[in-house]
Every structure is written in C-alpha cells, then in structure tokens.
Amino acid sequence: MSEAVPVKRSISPIFWLLFGAGGMLSALFGPALILITDVLGPTGTGLPADFESYDHALAFARNPLGKLVLLAVISLFFWHGAERIYLTLKDMKAGPLPVLKLATYGVAAAVTLVTFLLLLAIGF
Amino acid sequence: MSEAATLTKTVELRILRYLPASDESPSFRSFQVPYSDDMSVLQALQTIKDTLDATLSFRWSCRMAVCGSCGMMINGEPRLACNTFLRNLPPGPVTVEALKNFPIERDLVVSVGDFVKKIESIYPYIIPKEPKTVAQGTYLQTPAQLAAYESFSDCINCMLCYAACPQFGENPDFIGPGAMALLQRYNGDSRDGGQQKRLDAIAGEDGVWSCTAVGICSEVCPKHVDPANAINQNKTNSAFDFFLHYLRKDAAQ
Amino acid sequence: MSERRPYTRPIDEDWWKKPPYLSYTARELSGIAVTIYGGVLFTGLFSLWRGPESYNAFLRFLQSPLSLLLNLLLLAVVVYHVVTWFQTLPKTMPKMIVDGKQVPAAKITQIATLAAGGSSLLLILLTMWVAR
C-alpha cells in the first residue's frame, strides 16, 4: 500500500496562523502595551497628564495607522486566546466541540468584525 | 558490604499482568526480586521470568538502548527497561506497566501494528530529486546538510513518545511524534525530493493538526530525537502549504 | 486458535491537571490574559465611539487603584506568556546550523527573550519620546 488515499485537508492552519501572529505580537509588545495604556498613560507617569485624554484617543483612532494598530492588536490578541482556550477546554472535555468553538473562535470573529465597524464609525 | 549481604536485599516489582486466555482485564501482581546495585528493570524482569514465573511476557533484545523493544511504564513514566536502573528509582515498590496509550496484547507487550502503518504512510525512504545511475556516481552531502536531519535519524521506534503524548491518548489515529520525526529525517535530507508527497500525507486533522505542542514527547525520548520539533516545524510547513496548494498547477482537485 | 484479545485501557480524562502536563495547561491558559488585554482595548474603543462621557468613565476606571492592581496582575501573566512563548519557539523552527553545529534550543530561547524584552522597552521609550 504505497499509494495512500488523499487525506482531507484540515482548516486548522487558518486558526493556527492567527494564533501564532497574536502570540508573537503579544510576546514582543504585550508587556509594553499594558504598561503604556493601562498603567503609565492613565496615571501620567513618564507621560503627559493628557496622554490618554478623549481628544488624544480620538485622534489616534482616526489616524489610519492608529486604526491598523488597534485592529491588529485587538483582533489578533483575541484569536491568540481563542486557539489556546479552545484547545484547553477540549483537553478538559468542558463541553460539545461546536459549543466550545462558538465560545472561542466565534467570539474572536465577532470582536474582529465589531472592531472593524467601530473603527469605520469613528471616522477619519 | 559482602556479596552475600548485597544479594539478600530484595526489591518489590508491582507488575500489571494480562493473560488474554484467562484474564478479563489487567491486574497488578507483586514479585520480590534479589537486588543488586547494577541491576536494570529489564534484568529484574528477566530474573522473575527465569526463577519466579515463566509466564511473564515482555519484549527485549539488545539490553543497551539501541533496539527500542523494552519500552514500558516504570513508576508511571515511559522508559526503556534496559537503561532504567533500580538504584536510581525511589525506594519502595517499582510499578511496571505496559506502554500507555497502546492496547495490551499480553502483560508488558503492546500492539504495534498501527504504529508500523503510520511509519509506512509517510514514505520512509529517500525519494531522489534526480534519479542517478550507478555510473553517474553517489549523492554527495556536506556536513552541514547532514547536521540538518541527522538527529532525527536516531529514532529507535521505541514508542515512548507515543506513551507520553496525551493527544495520541485522546486520538489513536493521530500520526504522532515518532512517525513525524522519521518524516522530518527524510524531508530534511538534501538528497530527498519527496517533501510535497509527505506534506500531503500529514495535512489532515489526524496529521500534524492533532498536536498541541505539549512537548513531553521530546523529554521522554531516550535518543534525544526531539520529535516535538519535527511536528511543530512541519505545522509551519503544512500551514504555508495550506495556502500555497491553491496556487500549484499539479494540485489535486 | 488465536488467543489474541488486545485490551484497551480507559484513557485518563484528567491528564491535563497532572504533572508533567500541568505546566502545559498553565502555559495555554496564559492566553486568557492576552485576550483580556485585547478586551480592555476593545472596551476603550467602544466607549470612545459612544462619546466623551463614556470614554471618561472608562479612563477613570483605568486610573482607579483596583484597575492598577488588576493590570499589574495581567502584566505578570503576560510576562509568563512571553517567557513560555520563547521556550516553545525553538520547537517550531527548523534546526539552526551554525558552523556545521546545531544551535542549542536554550540559546535560541535566551536570545529571543532578550530581543522581546528589548522591543517592549523600545516601544515604551519611543512612546515617551513622541509624547513628550
């Protein structure tokens, strides 16, 4: 039996690449992002007191490059977590697989879509 | 200590036994074996078979971690019985069971048929890029080209990595670490041109995509083959191939 | 007559919470922290879209001691993610051969972790410099 039956391709590569991209992005910049946006920015430590003011945040979200950063970070971080949480819940036999997929990949897909729409609605 | 004093010391082996002709399911039985400092678990099993119970079944051959026959669970960990020494195990009874994740044929002997089929499925031979006649000479390889795959050629098919892999435990159809190490041994060989055939064989859910990079397979490998590396670098290859296969002219469908 | 009757043992359903697999499960669960940070940014973006009042409430929460405490906790878990991510990295790439010898996995992990620490530090310094 040297000629094997062609195997059915898995679609896992799509999710795995999104997981990998999110994992690498968060590994390279995650700690810095948390410190900047959640600790140093709001308290004005080492940064201007109005660093994260409404006007500044709006200007950032209206800048095309700022939009790209927000979409990449938010969606890829969700896709990264979705893959890891799905596989762990599967290991734990936490529920039927379609339900687990919906609760992980489904949420990541929804957040990606809504983020895209919010960035459009906020305008340029 | 005199030799006589050493030999009076004994060690208890708790062995999971299963005789298909008489036992409904496996159960533990204990044996007291005379202990010596240079004794391996395999030697202890041989002592039992020679002096206490000739019906005890286990596989072994080389006694020197080369043949890969004597893989079993020792105190719950997948190990080769021949290079696991009693003196290195914690005091108290030593638990010995058939390799985890495989059906038990009898006592410590497991079924290997599925594993052999998996190895056959990944084209475990060199498929030359350009076939040469004898007159055209040999295929040359630099030391660096050899180093690229050499460690993957050290696999002795002992299946300890399969016993360590929880995803193989969950899904017996998963191609698993050992067969993937062999796949990489050929895919990484500069003389080989069969990469695409092998990538096609592992692109399914039971191929590389059942692996979740737990990594214990590499830790239990007695030959430091690093099967986790073989699987995970082929996840990258398979992921790119997933998108590239649409562009290939010769692609199926 | 064959006496073959292979016995299949039941699988251990709880392997994921036992050593040596527990560290793998912990590593995977660090993905929750990464997602939570994505959630914080998403919440900020959503409140920004709703208007100044909503956004300022979001900002006031970020300034609260509770939020600072939670974020330091989040930071610790994400740093754990960074460390374990680069421990896994050598497994996902082809063998690196330099001068005919294989580069040890520990060396790759070390260099990549330092590079990641450097890139995070650089981003903070760059932000401070741009915002000054």
Side-chain angles (χ1 to χ4, degrees):
Chain A
M1 285 263 299
S2 59
E3 279 317 303
V5 196
V7 295
K8 187 174 174 290
R9 260 178 202 281
S10 164
I11 59 158
S12 296
I14 300 168
F15 304 109
W16 186 77
L17 285 173
L18 287 167
F19 147 80
M24 194 50 93
L25 191 65
S26 57
L28 292 176
F29 301 112
L33 288 171
I34 294 177
L35 279 171
I36 292 168
T37 66
D38 292 10
V39 179
L40 304 178
T43 56
T45 314
L47 289 165
D50 62 348
F51 176 78
E52 235 162 289
S53 67
Y54 175 76
D55 293 336
H56 281 165
L58 194 63
F60 187 84
R62 284 189 163 159
N63 181 298
L65 205 62
K67 281 187 199 297
L68 195 68
V69 168
L70 285 168
L71 183 66
V73 172
I74 294 173
S75 66
L76 290 177
F77 280 24
F78 267 90
W79 283 109
H80 172 78
E83 172 93 348
R84 289 200 138 167
I85 298 164
Y86 168 70
L87 289 174
T88 305
L89 291 175
K90 188 176 162 220
D91 289 343
M92 294 173 172
K93 288 119 205 136
L97 295 186
V99 175
L100 299 184
K101 278 182 183 160
L102 205 64
T104 52
Y105 301 129
V107 169
V111 165
T112 302
L113 181 69
V114 174
T115 303
F116 185 77
L117 295 175
L118 283 174
L119 287 169
L120 281 184
I122 281 170
F124 291 83
Chain B
M1 233 190 312
S2 75
E3 200 179 301
T6 320
L7 284 175
T8 50
K9 223 172 127 185
T10 63
V11 60
E12 183 187 342
L13 265 76
R14 284 182 70 239
I15 301 177
L16 189 70
R17 300 217 51 190
Y18 173 62
L19 301 173
S22 55
D23 298 347
E24 195 48 48
S25 61
S27 57
F28 281 101
R29 230 154 301 166
S30 280
F31 296 91
Q32 292 287 339
V33 186
Y35 170 93
S36 68
D37 265 346
D38 59 355
M39 204 177 206
S40 65
V41 172
L42 178 61
Q43 282 172 296
L45 293 173
Q46 287 169 325
T47 306
I48 294 171
K49 192 167 177 73
D50 290 347
T51 63
L52 300 172
D53 187 342
T55 65
L56 181 66
S57 298
F58 51 96
R59 287 196 178 107
W60 66 279
S61 176
C62 77
R63 320 173 316 285
M64 47 202 272
V66 172
C67 76
S69 304
C70 67
M72 52 190 74
M73 307 303 288
I74 298 172
N75 286 344
E77 280 177 39
R79 310 202 49 138
L80 295 181
C82 67
N83 74 349
T84 303
F85 289 88
L86 293 175
R87 63 172 183 271
N88 295 331
L89 298 174
V94 177
T95 306
V96 183
E97 298 157 84
L99 219 42
K100 207 165 85 179
N101 300 336
F102 290 96
I104 303 179
E105 289 287 347
R106 183 184 163 103
D107 293 340
L108 303 173
V109 175
V110 296
S111 317
V112 298
D114 281 354
F115 173 63
V116 173
K117 278 200 196 108
K118 282 172 189 172
I119 282 187
E120 286 171 350
S121 77
I122 54 99
Y123 310 95
Y125 40 83
I126 286 182
I127 302 171
K129 275 187 194 131
E130 302 152 42
K132 276 185 175 183
T133 63
V134 177
Q136 285 171 301
T138 50
Y139 294 91
L140 298 177
Q141 197 161 54
T142 65
Q145 287 171 330
L146 174 67
Y149 72 84
E150 194 180 16
S151 61
F152 295 119
S153 72
D154 289 340
C155 176
I156 57 173
N157 298 335
C158 68
M159 311 190 297
L160 298 195
C161 51
Y162 283 81
C165 176
Q167 302 303 350
F168 173 64
E170 302 269 4
N171 173 18
D173 292 329
F174 171 34
I175 184 140
M180 284 302 300
L182 195 64
L183 175 139
Q184 188 52 35
R185 178 256 169 274
Y186 290 103
N187 270 7
D189 193 316
S190 58
R191 300 164 294 183
D192 185 85
Q195 285 84 359
Q196 192 56 54
K197 267 182 122 159
R198 298 195 193 91
L199 271 184
D200 288 343
I202 54 155
E205 206 50 53
D206 297 332
V208 277
W209 300 106
S210 275
C211 170
T212 58
V214 179
I216 309 294
C217 54
S218 289
E219 285 177 29
V220 302
C221 178
K223 307 307 273 187
H224 309 290
V225 170
D226 201 356
N229 177 231
I231 306 186
N232 283 286
Q233 63 172 297
N234 278 298
K235 256 190 221 168
T236 315
N237 296 340
S238 188
F240 287 124
D241 185 59
F242 177 83
F243 295 99
L244 290 176
H245 92 279
Y246 292 108
L247 304 174
R248 282 200 311 272
K249 276 189 232 115
D250 59 340
Q253 290 117 40
Chain C
M1 219 167 72
S2 169
E3 282 183 357
R4 268 202 76 198
R5 197 160 52 82
Y7 181 86
T8 302
R9 287 161 283 182
I11 63 159
D12 178 9
E13 302 260 311
D14 294 335
W15 59 265
W16 55 270
K17 58 175 150 183
K18 294 176 187 164
Y21 307 109
L22 189 60
S23 59
Y24 150 78
T25 304
R27 178 194 87 193
E28 295 299 297
L29 289 178
S30 71
I32 294 177
V34 174
T35 309
I36 288 176
Y37 179 69
V40 172
L41 282 192
F42 180 78
T43 310
L45 185 67
F46 186 70
S47 61
L48 190 66
W49 169 74
R50 287 184 63 193
E53 216 166 289
S54 171
Y55 181 79
N56 286 330
F58 169 72
L59 195 57
R60 270 197 303 281
F61 173 72
L62 283 187
Q63 288 160 340
S64 71
L66 175 69
S67 159
L68 291 175
L69 188 75
L70 290 176
N71 271 292
L72 289 177
L73 199 70
L74 199 65
L75 180 66
V77 184
V78 170
V79 168
Y80 177 73
H81 157 69
V82 176
V83 171
T84 53
W85 183 259
F86 291 113
Q87 281 170 352
T88 315
L89 178 74
K91 298 268 177 247
T92 62
M93 47 192 263
K95 300 252 180 246
M96 268 179 81
I97 311 289
V98 176
D99 294 334
K101 272 192 195 145
Q102 203 175 299
V103 182
K107 190 88 200 157
I108 297 171
T109 297
Q110 193 191 4
I111 292 169
T113 311
L114 284 175
S119 67
S120 254
L121 192 65
L122 202 69
L123 182 63
I124 293 175
L125 293 176
L126 195 73
T127 308
M128 286 179 166
W129 183 70
V130 169
R132 84 198 184 288

